[in-house]
Structure formats: structure tokens, C-alpha cells
Amino acid sequence: MTGPGTGVTGRGRRLVAAVLAVALVTGCGAEATPEPRPWHDGRIFLATGNTTGVYYQLGGGYADVISRHLPGYEARAEPTGASGENITRLVEGDMEIAFSLADTAADASAGRGAFAGQPQPVRALARVYSNYTHVIVRADAQITNLAALRGKRVSTGSPKSGTDVIAARLLTAAGLDPDRDVRRARLSLPETVTRMRGGSLDAMFFSGGLPTPGIADLLSSAPGRFALLPIADLVESLNAEHGSVYTTAELPKDAYDTPRGTPTVTVANVILVNVDMPEQLAYDLTRLLFTYQTDLALAHPEARNFDRQSAASTDPIPLHPGAARYYQGG
């Protein structure tokens, strides 16, 4: 069941299935006893991200692994606006698994930021690979640092996405008001790439694994027209304001065949579930991540960049008890 959504929510699909199940049981007579069913009728929907991002590709691979190796369950990866939307849909019961940046997930768990005063009942299965913050500018725009984005046309990513969150935080750290000092557009990655090519944007943000297909497409289609902006110098300001969830790394030149590496800000990704997921299911879903890691790497190479030891380090987002049991060897 992997692939793009059909426009009907996971909750809607499950409601239809439940109605049909009740009808079948009722039609069999009053003494009929329904067979035990897997959690949520055996359907698992994964909230991922933009269709040209790593979440969607890796989510599709994970859904395939679940469908093939977890008896009684079928899984499907759904395209979304990423982190913030994913958490909301997970908590509402529309999704069973959600990919998220760790900073957004930490805000949700603690009831901060976009979730102020409303801690969300999310638990982590694993910390996986790290996202690299891509800030891409027009090479002819003479933009050498984030402060030079003042007055420029800038895409900060899909609304409520992890990219949108970190873009606003970076702009603030550079001394800019994200809503007043730049001409801000909140656009999906495919739309952002289209507008960058068309010349209606001067710069864009995107937080993603390496390589992100949409970024690779943009940079390879117009060599020399765009440049990656170094931003690693802002990490101390970010962590002073938001906690130690950000690190730095060089975005390597071979990721997109650029002339040199680019120092940037990184943040870990986490895989989340609702607190009410049965412990055994959470255990099995965590186990599949590592038992079939080679299969996941075929969906996207970032699957090679997590391991069992580091995956358990999801603080400040609590591990689901089922995941914790897996890491403890239970």
C-alpha cells in the first residue's frame, strides 16, 4: 500500500472498514463473535513529507518493510507538509507513524513553540539520520550571509514543517524578523524549486537528508546559477535560545557536486508514534528498522546512517516503552 495518498484520510479509511466489519458481524447473527483484529484494523499510515524529499522516499521503504514482514499489517507512506503537520495528524489518529525533526518533536512533547501550552502525547521509536539545513541563493544576488536576505523573496518551506521552524529561527538569529524583514513565502519543496528556477524567489531553505532529490534536481539543472550559503556560525545563538538540539557539519561537496563543502546547521530526525500504540507493535516496528536496514537503504541511502546504539538517544522526546524494550534487548 505504499505510494501517494488518494485524498481520503487514514481515519476515514478505517471508519469505512469498521462499518463494514460491524455489518458483517451483524449479518451473521446475534451469536457471532468477531475475530480479533490487529490495532487500527491492521492499517498503518506513515506521515512523511514533500514528494521530492527524503522522508517520503524512506517512508515508502519503511512501509514496504512493514507490509512484507509484519503479519496482519499493511502500511502506506503519505505525502504531507512534514514535521508539524505530521505530529498533529499523528495525535489526531489520522496517522500511526510520523517522521519529524527533533527540534519540532521536542517542542511538541514539551508544549512549546507551535504547541505552546499543549504538550502532545508523542513517543519516539528511534532517532535516525541527521537533516542538513540547505540555504540556497541566486548566485547573482550577492547574498553572502543570512543578514543579506533583508528585503529578499525567500521560501521557508511548507507551513508548520520542520524547515519552516528552523528557517524562522535562523533568520531571527541573523537579526531579521522572518515576517517583516524578508518577503516570506511558505511553499512546498516542489513549488519552491519551480519558483527558484523561474526567478520569482531569491533564496530558499530546506532541511533534509543527503541527497534531497528536489535539491539535487535544482542544482544539477542549472550549474552555477545557485549557491549554498554557509550558516554554521549561527548554531550557538540557536542553541542558546532553543536548547541543545542543533549541531554543525559540513554539507559535503559530493552531495550535489558543488565546488566546495558548505558549513551548515544540522538536526536529528526522529520516528514518532502516539503514546497509545500497543507496546508489542512499537517493539516490532522498531525491530524492523534494524532487521531490514539494508532494504531501507535501497529506498534512500540515509538509512545507512543510523544504528541501534544512537537510535535510542531521543531525549528530550520519551521513547515508547516498546521501543525501549527493544533497545534493552527484551
Side-chain angles (χ1 to χ4, degrees):
M1 355 179 1
T2 56
T6 61
V8 180
T9 67
R11 175 179 286 176
R13 294 186 185 92
R14 287 190 293 272
L15 179 60
V16 170
V19 170
L20 290 174
V22 170
L24 287 171
V25 171
T26 303
C28 292
E31 295 182 2
T33 301
E35 291 293 323
R37 288 182 173 274
W39 189 65
H40 283 195
D41 270 336
R43 296 176 182 272
I44 293 177
F45 293 93
L46 291 81
T48 61
N50 296 166
T51 56
T52 56
V54 177
Y55 280 179
Y56 186 68
Q57 291 196 339
L58 189 55
Y62 191 20
D64 282 337
V65 165
I66 294 167
S67 296
R68 287 188 286 116
H69 300 292
L70 190 58
Y73 287 92
E74 289 184 272
R76 180 185 179 109
E78 296 283 345
T80 68
S83 299
E85 177 186 330
N86 289 356
I87 291 171
T88 298
R89 294 180 71 178
L90 179 69
V91 172
E92 289 177 348
D94 190 39
M95 297 282 157
E96 284 70 48
I97 298 173
F99 285 77
S100 176
L101 285 173
D103 55 352
T104 303
D107 282 354
S109 181
R112 299 189 306 254
F115 305 94
Q118 296 181 317
Q120 303 296 296
V122 296
R123 296 293 183 267
L125 295 184
R127 171 178 175 164
V128 284
Y129 65 95
S130 289
N131 265 20
Y132 288 69
T133 306
H134 303 66
V135 181
I136 301 174
V137 300
R138 287 180 24 237
D140 62 357
Q142 298 183 332
I143 299 169
T144 58
N145 54 49
L146 282 191
L149 291 179
R150 186 180 298 274
K152 302 297 186 183
R153 302 164 298 177
V154 182
S155 172
T156 59
S158 301
K160 298 183 180 181
S161 66
T163 293
D164 196 34
V165 170
I166 196 170
R169 291 177 175 181
L170 282 164
L171 289 167
T172 300
L176 300 175
D177 184 318
D179 295 311
R180 296 184 179 182
D181 293 333
V182 301
R183 294 160 65 184
R184 185 178 189 177
R186 287 184 166 98
L187 305 170
S188 69
L189 181 57
E191 188 172 3
T192 295
V193 167
T194 297
R195 294 200 185 187
M196 287 289 286
R197 281 203 192 101
S200 62
L201 287 174
D202 301 303
M204 62 169 286
F205 288 78
F206 190 75
S207 181
L210 301 180
T212 291
I215 302 294
D217 184 42
L218 174 66
L219 297 180
S220 66
S221 66
R225 187 177 169 194
F226 303 105
L228 285 157
L229 198 65
I231 56 170
D233 59 309
L234 297 172
V235 73
E236 289 187 10
S237 296
L238 286 176
N239 284 334
E241 183 67 24
H242 304 289
S244 300
V245 293
Y246 299 107
T247 54
T248 61
E250 181 172 272
L251 201 163
K253 64 181 182 179
D254 60 1
Y256 301 106
D257 196 23
T258 53
R260 63 190 64 83
T262 306
T264 192
V265 171
T266 58
V267 60
N269 289 288
V270 289
I271 298 177
L272 303 175
V273 296
N274 202 303
V275 69
D276 69 357
M277 176 175 278
E279 181 176 324
Q280 185 59 45
L281 178 56
Y283 175 93
D284 288 334
L285 290 172
T286 308
R287 173 181 55 81
L288 293 178
L289 285 170
F290 299 95
T291 304
Y292 297 99
Q293 191 169 359
T294 301
D295 291 5
L296 295 177
L298 295 176
H300 195 280
E302 281 288 11
R304 301 189 189 101
N305 295 326
F306 56 89
D307 59 61
R308 180 168 173 163
Q309 183 174 359
S310 63
S313 301
T314 62
D315 189 66
I317 306 118
L319 275 174
H320 191 286
R325 177 160 63 87
Y326 171 78
Y327 295 122
Q328 293 163 3

